[in-house]
Amino acid sequence: GRAQYNLGVCYEQGRGVDRDMAKAAELYQRSAEQGHGRAQYNLGVCYEQGRGVDRDMAKAAELYQRSAAQGHGRAQYNLAMLHLRGAGGLPYDSHRAVNLMEQAAAQGVQQAQSYLGVYWTMEPHRDMLAASQHFSQAAQQKHVSSQFHLGI
């Protein structure tokens, strides 16, 4: 699975081979079938964006779920966003989305940290200490809007 994943990255980025998103998606698929979490995430992105495969939000959601279950932070973030939009065949579920955002933020995903910073500034769940902590985590990684919210 890992070798197929790595070769998929080469095809996606054109490293040592001509860039070929269809070939990258095919290799990610083989690796994902073997349980490789990063391949599941990358293939989910391919399906979400229609890169190398036909756009299919339900497949993207399924792949993000499998990858997120293995602790992949970006997959957790993307899955949270699908829950917030009620997309990919998933129901709108803000509670599940915030839980996934917290998991992603704990792994250093800037967008999740920033999202939670904003989330905690709003009623009825206003918690300015939590908001400040999330903005600070993202700002330390040079996330510009989080720096703005902190006045940096």
Side-chain angles (χ1 to χ4, degrees):
R2 185 176 192 170
Q4 291 163 324
Y5 166 77
N6 288 337
L7 188 55
V9 170
C10 289
Y11 275 100
E12 181 175 1
Q13 298 177 354
R15 288 188 186 170
V17 295
D18 289 336
R19 189 164 190 252
D20 184 339
M21 282 308 301
K23 183 69 174 173
E26 176 188 327
L27 289 161
Y28 291 149
Q29 177 68 44
R30 289 187 204 163
S31 182
E33 288 170 356
Q34 297 173 49
H36 194 280
R38 285 184 288 179
Q40 292 164 342
Y41 166 74
N42 283 15
L43 185 58
V45 171
C46 290
Y47 277 110
E48 184 174 5
Q49 298 178 357
R51 293 173 45 212
V53 294
D54 290 337
R55 190 167 192 255
D56 187 329
M57 295 302 290
K59 284 185 182 177
E62 175 192 339
L63 288 157
Y64 290 151
Q65 286 174 322
R66 290 169 46 198
S67 182
Q70 294 183 56
H72 191 282
R74 294 286 310 161
Q76 292 164 337
Y77 173 78
N78 287 11
L79 185 57
M81 295 305 293
L82 292 179
H83 274 293
L84 288 172
R85 294 193 315 261
L90 299 175
Y92 170 81
D93 187 341
S94 62
H95 180 73
R96 176 81 175 119
V98 169
N99 183 282
L100 286 162
M101 288 284 185
E102 290 285 1
Q103 292 174 46
Q107 293 185 68
V109 177
Q110 294 175 16
Q111 293 86 344
Q113 293 165 339
S114 180
Y115 176 89
L116 289 167
V118 172
Y119 174 83
W120 290 115
T121 64
M122 297 184 290
E123 297 293 345
H125 38 260
R126 188 176 181 101
D127 181 337
M128 294 309 286
L129 179 58
S132 175
Q133 290 170 336
H134 285 294
F135 283 139
S136 293
Q137 291 168 345
Q140 288 171 5
Q141 297 182 71
K142 310 290 187 232
H143 190 268
V144 176
S145 67
S146 294
Q147 291 172 335
F148 172 80
H149 284 290
L150 290 171
I152 297 175

